[in-house]
Amino acid sequence: MRDIHHFVNGKSLIGTSGRFGDVFNPSTGEIQARVQFATDAEMDLAVRAAAKAQIGWASTNPQRRARIMFDFKRLLEDHMTELAELLSSEHGKVIADSKGDIQRGLEVIEFACGIPHLLKGEYTEGAGPGIDVYSMRQPLGVVAGITPFNFPAMIPMWMFGIAVATGNSFILKPSERDPSVPVRLAQLFMEAGAPAGVLNVVHGDKGAVDAILHHPLIKAVSFVGSSDIAQYVYSTGTANGKRVQAMGGAKNHGIILPDADLDQVVKDLSGAAFGSAGERCMALPVVVPVGKKTADELRERMVSEIQSLQVGVSNDPAAHYGPVVSSAHRDKIASYIQMGVDEGAELVVDGRGFSLQGFEKGFFIGPSLFDQVKPTMQSYREEIFGPVLQILRAETFEEALTYPSDHQYGNGVAIFTRNGRAAREFAARVDVGMVGINVPIPVPVAYHTFGGWKRSAFGDTNQHGIEGVKFYTKIKTITARWPEGAVEDSAFVIPTMK
Ligand code: NAD
């Protein structure tokens, strides 16, 4: 059995805990490797190596750090196919989608290549007599990232891409379900010229997360995963004096106004609801058609669209989506489908019981469609994270607006319409963090910023963009006086500028 080791201080670290997690190939259902779970002592070793490396790294001029980011970006491009195949083999998403996962992370690295410009401070000459004021952004020290299984390339790069470029060193605790790509990213970063210890990967489960949350040398923690754990990470990390941003779950809605281009909507919904087997925090699992005519027409077209979908192994180029990540997750999705039926929603297409010939042990589930979903249903209020689309009918624009706004999650939302004024009003009023207008998956580009509202995010800074630079740096403001001539009198009152 292949073991996946930690990557600490520039080399493999063989763990000693005797605790492991199984890493499956979701297409075959077989265990292909096991990943080591760190002890507290191993986490401490990694943090101390990172703290040592950070001193020299922070004093490396930003342009030299940026050149390493440029070389890392080139290496990612050179290794795209290898990384995508590795990612698909552990996650289950199809290879084209894995390339998208890597590409979206790579775009954050491109943004980080501009770090010399992004770190420039402010300067005021002559704020008083002989007085100048200036500010600088300094790294925090050792920072950590804890990531989910569903984007094992993009989300680590959201975090460490900005953290290391700004002069921090980084401990990455990736998902134990698909840990190989994060290790390869750290190896490639070193190959690009990063000093040992700047980017470390330490594997584990709750134990490793707790070791991060309680380690006194870790100054900030970025987390992405499910909401209850995000809340736990946020409250524990901040209680221990750390800066924390913790992104949680989602239940994104797509609002369809009667004037929308339904041909395009059906194509967009199909990719956004079923792509990556619905295992995206920016998937669109709820559609809200406005008016009976829109709803009936949409439902009919969605049924025939779903019939054209192909579910296949992750390296089948014809497959629209692959297996889900584990058999437990497949069973959880199936139990939500049953819950919907029991709650009285109409199951129009049932994806349960799907089996792929020759891969009967793979973690596959077919696409499902519900109609007549009501806002009180538990299967609507909770995140399913699978290939299940729920139709929640609305009579009016106002009613449609309330559903995403009143939902416990507020990650993303999309509106489909030809009416610019309605779209503008919707974007302004909806209580959700990221809005798409005729864009089904509105994941912002790397130089903007990613983050939801309500139970989709705890903490107040987003991922990447300028928000990321702010999260991983602290600002220092210097007031300098160079008096000339006679000694000035003592000042016993707070100094003010006259
Ligand atoms: P998860 O919450 O199970 O795991 C996330 C991380 O937390 C992993 O590294 C895991 O090892 C760790 N962890 C697991 N159990 C823990 C515990 N009890 N205590 C402390 N740490 C623990 O999430 P997942 O299943 O890997 O990912 C799917 C979830 O992530 C979905 O809810 C999805 O919506 C969410 N997600 C959110 C965003 C976003 O930006 N808002 C992006 C991607 C995924």
Side-chain angles (χ1 to χ4, degrees):
M1 176 69 62
R2 181 168 60 94
D3 274 359
I4 299 165
H5 305 300
H6 314 296
F7 187 77
V8 170
N9 209 16
K11 47 187 187 298
S12 263
L13 173 72
I14 298 176
T16 57
S17 71
R19 291 179 63 235
F20 300 90
D22 290 331
V23 177
F24 286 85
N25 177 341
S27 294
T28 62
E30 283 159 6
I31 298 172
Q32 55 166 317
R34 55 181 198 169
V35 59
Q36 301 186 330
F37 286 176
T39 61
D40 287 359
E42 286 156 0
M43 182 63 78
D44 185 57
L45 189 81
V47 175
R48 287 183 192 284
K52 204 163 159 215
Q54 198 263 336
I55 297 164
W57 181 242
S59 61
T60 301
N61 75 56
Q63 206 161 351
R64 285 191 57 194
R65 293 203 300 262
R67 283 188 194 127
I68 292 172
M69 302 311 286
F70 272 110
D71 285 346
F72 179 49
K73 167 186 140 58
R74 184 183 45 76
L75 283 173
L76 289 171
E77 285 161 349
D78 294 350
H79 289 263
M80 178 65 85
T81 301
E82 168 217 322
L83 288 167
E85 285 171 357
L86 184 61
L87 197 159
S88 287
S89 78
E90 292 184 356
H91 178 288
K93 65 174 84 172
V94 295
I95 287 179
D97 199 25
S98 290
K99 287 185 176 169
D101 183 337
I102 299 158
Q103 178 64 28
R104 289 308 293 250
L106 188 154
E107 289 169 10
V108 175
I109 305 303
E110 282 174 346
F111 170 74
C113 288
I115 208 67
H117 176 70
L118 298 166
L119 282 176
K120 285 190 299 191
E122 296 172 328
Y123 192 96
T124 303
E125 182 195 10
I131 295 176
D132 304 322
V133 180
Y134 58 99
S135 63
M136 52 177 77
R137 290 207 160 268
Q138 296 189 322
L140 305 178
V142 183
V143 297
I146 301 160
T147 52
F149 81 85
N150 69 326
F151 281 98
M154 176 184 81
I155 294 179
M157 285 193 270
W158 278 0
M159 298 174 181
F160 79 72
I162 312 282
V164 297
T166 50
N168 299 282
S169 57
F170 200 85
I171 306 287
L172 172 63
K173 204 304 282 171
S175 169
E176 61 275 40
R177 295 189 228 162
D178 44 14
S180 292
V181 165
V183 173
R184 281 298 289 138
L185 295 178
Q187 289 167 342
L188 291 174
F189 188 54
M190 275 208 60
E191 208 177 309
V198 170
L199 176 57
N200 308 277
V201 182
V202 181
H203 301 291
D205 55 2
K206 180 177 183 344
V209 171
D210 285 339
I212 286 172
L213 296 175
H214 293 284
H215 201 294
L217 287 181
I218 294 179
K219 302 297 177 200
V221 178
S222 181
F223 173 91
V224 177
S226 51
S227 289
D228 288 348
I229 300 173
Q231 190 167 15
Y232 167 76
V233 166
Y234 183 76
S235 56
T236 311
T238 51
N240 288 335
K242 301 182 196 314
R243 193 178 279 194
V244 183
Q245 52 176 200
M247 275 60 193
K251 188 94 179 194
N252 307 320
H253 296 58
I255 313 301
I256 320 295
L257 296 193
D259 67 352
D261 174 352
L262 272 196
D263 291 333
Q264 186 62 54
V265 164
V266 167
K267 292 290 168 203
D268 286 348
L269 270 181
S270 172
F274 303 114
S276 199
E279 293 173 320
R280 291 183 184 136
C281 69
M282 289 295 273
L284 265 194
V286 180
V287 57
V288 187
V290 175
K292 184 173 184 312
K293 184 166 173 286
T294 315
D296 291 346
E297 213 173 310
L298 181 78
R299 168 180 163 157
E300 194 185 316
R301 291 199 204 187
M302 249 359 268
V303 171
S304 64
E305 175 68 18
I306 287 173
Q307 274 152 6
S308 74
L309 288 182
Q310 282 195 46
V311 184
V313 289
S314 59
N315 59 6
D316 174 359
H320 293 106
Y321 74 83
V324 298
V325 71
S326 65
S327 60
H329 190 52
R330 183 194 48 203
D331 295 347
K332 183 176 159 198
I333 296 165
S335 74
Y336 270 113
I337 294 172
Q338 188 56 44
M339 184 193 290
V341 173
D342 295 345
E343 290 177 312
E346 183 189 350
L347 184 56
V348 183
V349 181
D350 186 354
R352 293 172 296 179
F354 174 89
S355 175
L356 190 67
Q357 207 182 359
F359 295 89
E360 287 77 8
K361 291 193 175 141
F363 309 141
F364 295 98
I365 184 159
S368 294
L369 179 69
F370 273 106
D371 195 359
Q372 305 298 342
V373 172
K374 302 291 172 222
T376 49
M377 293 178 179
Q378 191 183 345
S379 56
Y380 163 75
R381 293 200 316 268
E382 295 179 1
E383 180 181 43
I384 299 177
F385 219 55
V388 182
L389 180 61
Q390 297 169 305
I391 301 177
L392 174 61
R393 293 168 176 242
E395 294 289 325
T396 62
F397 171 88
E398 284 299 324
E399 184 189 345
L401 178 66
T402 62
Y403 293 134
S405 294
D406 291 351
H407 203 279
Q408 61 165 331
Y409 296 118
N411 215 37
V413 68
I415 184 165
F416 297 86
T417 178
R418 290 186 170 97
N419 181 334
R421 219 194 67 74
R424 185 171 181 271
E425 183 177 344
F426 180 83
R429 289 175 60 199
V430 71
D431 193 10
V432 170
M434 291 175 280
V435 182
I437 298 175
N438 299 315
V439 172
I441 304 183
V443 177
V445 290
Y447 45 95
H448 281 262
T449 182
F450 184 105
W453 288 2
K454 298 180 280 182
R455 280 187 65 73
S456 294
F458 302 85
D460 47 23
T461 37
N462 277 1
Q463 301 280 348
H464 62 71
I466 298 296
E467 290 269 300
V469 174
K470 286 184 177 162
F471 181 74
Y472 290 114
T473 55
K474 53 193 172 186
I475 196 156
K476 185 180 276 179
T477 309
I478 294 109
T479 304
R481 179 169 68 141
W482 301 100
E484 270 182 45
V487 173
E488 294 170 19
D489 280 345
S490 306
F492 294 98
V493 294
I494 180 88
T496 54
M497 293 301 169
K498 296 265 170 5

